[in-house]
Amino acid sequence: NAGVTQTPKFQVLKTGQSMTLQCAQDMNHNSMYWYRQDPGMGLRLIYYSASEGTTDKGEVPNGYNVSRLNKREFSLRLESAAPSQTSVYFCASNPVGTGELFFGEGSRLTVL
Amino acid sequence: KNQVEQSPQSLIILEGKNCTLQCNYTVSPFSNLRWYKQDTGRGPVSLTIMTFSENTKSNGRYTATLDADTKQSSLHITASQLSDSASYICVVSRSNDYKLSFGAGTTVTVRA
């Protein structure tokens, strides 16, 4: 009964390094999302995928890329990390139309 | 300007006491409003959903209200417990495209 699984849970990068955050869900959900959460701000949508094979930009996509590898997996890549990308990243999924999001445990990223 | 505003930003209450959190929104057209609970270091988890026709809904010691005319919702916690210490996030869904708007959250600290 894993739900949404994110890896890694913690990561420290130097400016300019690249990395990929992995996300997998076992609930057969069509839609998947990547959010970032910063102190004092609401969760902000980076990218989302309404279904396998499609991805769309959210409100803060700059500096990120995504891949919807299959129905289960949705990865987020930082090609050249910047200190402004220091944040907690959450992956989420939901069945079509219900609105309820199921979140992973989060990935805390620090860029020095 | 954020379309979902929550107040207060934080509050501290003694164990056993009640508290009420507020959520005001401007999202339109309205589909539903959810309250999520986010424990420290974890992902948010849905507590309750309010649709246009619902005024009140309870989930254990949590009671949510919705006034769709004034675009306000509240979350009341009765007889607080230490485990209620968390951030509570209000999320409003738009009916035409299911776009989600997040509040910044209210951090509740329950002290013994």
Side-chain angles (χ1 to χ4, degrees):
Chain A
N1 200 19
V4 178
T5 303
Q6 292 182 232
T7 57
K9 292 192 185 324
F10 300 94
Q11 183 73 49
V12 178
L13 293 176
K14 294 181 179 178
T15 297
Q17 288 185 317
S18 62
M19 76 158 299
T20 299
L21 300 178
Q22 307 286 353
C23 175
Q25 52 92 8
D26 60 2
M27 297 173 283
N28 202 36
H29 289 168
N30 288 315
S31 301
M32 297 185 73
Y33 308 80
W34 276 105
Y35 291 91
R36 61 178 289 173
Q37 186 175 42
D38 301 294
M41 304 181 72
L43 285 151
R44 292 184 292 168
L45 182 64
I46 305 171
Y47 270 93
Y48 67 99
S49 171
S51 62
E52 184 179 354
T54 68
T55 61
D56 289 285
K57 294 179 180 179
E59 60 182 301
V60 288
N62 291 344
Y64 305 95
N65 285 301
V66 291
S67 295
R68 183 74 182 267
L69 304 171
N70 47 55
K71 191 170 186 178
R72 292 187 64 248
E73 298 172 290
F74 189 38
S75 63
L76 178 71
R77 181 161 178 84
L78 287 70
E79 291 290 353
S80 179
S84 61
Q85 295 178 304
T86 293
S87 187
V88 181
Y89 292 86
F90 286 97
C91 178
S93 69
N94 69 344
V96 174
T98 71
E100 179 179 1
L101 289 169
F102 294 82
F103 287 88
E105 295 290 273
S107 298
R108 185 175 294 276
L109 175 66
T110 301
V111 183
L112 303 175
Chain B
K1 188 180 187 303
N2 196 359
Q3 295 187 73
V4 180
E5 298 288 345
Q6 291 187 243
S7 62
Q9 187 174 12
S10 63
L11 65 94
I12 300 172
I13 58 173
L14 292 176
E15 189 176 15
K17 298 298 185 182
N18 305 334
C19 68
T20 299
L21 316 180
Q22 299 290 343
C23 174
N24 297 337
Y25 63 92
T26 59
V27 174
S28 181
F30 174 83
S31 174
N32 61 65
L33 182 150
R34 286 185 185 272
W35 284 94
Y36 286 81
K37 179 187 180 189
Q38 184 177 20
D39 292 317
T40 301
R42 308 293 295 272
V45 175
S46 179
L47 283 175
T48 184
I49 177 174
M50 305 294 291
T51 58
F52 189 87
S53 60
E54 295 173 310
N55 298 118
T56 304
K57 184 176 284 187
S58 292
N59 177 1
R61 293 178 297 100
Y62 300 102
T63 299
T65 66
L66 175 67
D67 185 334
D69 291 331
T70 61
K71 298 188 176 181
Q72 295 179 324
S73 176
S74 66
L75 181 69
H76 186 75
I77 305 175
T78 303
S80 60
Q81 299 177 359
L82 296 178
S83 60
D84 294 329
S85 294
S87 179
Y88 293 84
I89 302 170
C90 176
V91 183
V92 182
S93 175
R94 207 159 60 184
S95 61
N96 53 352
D97 59 3
Y98 295 110
K99 180 180 184 293
L100 299 177
S101 295
F102 289 79
T106 294
T107 300
V108 175
T109 303
V110 181
R111 292 191 173 158

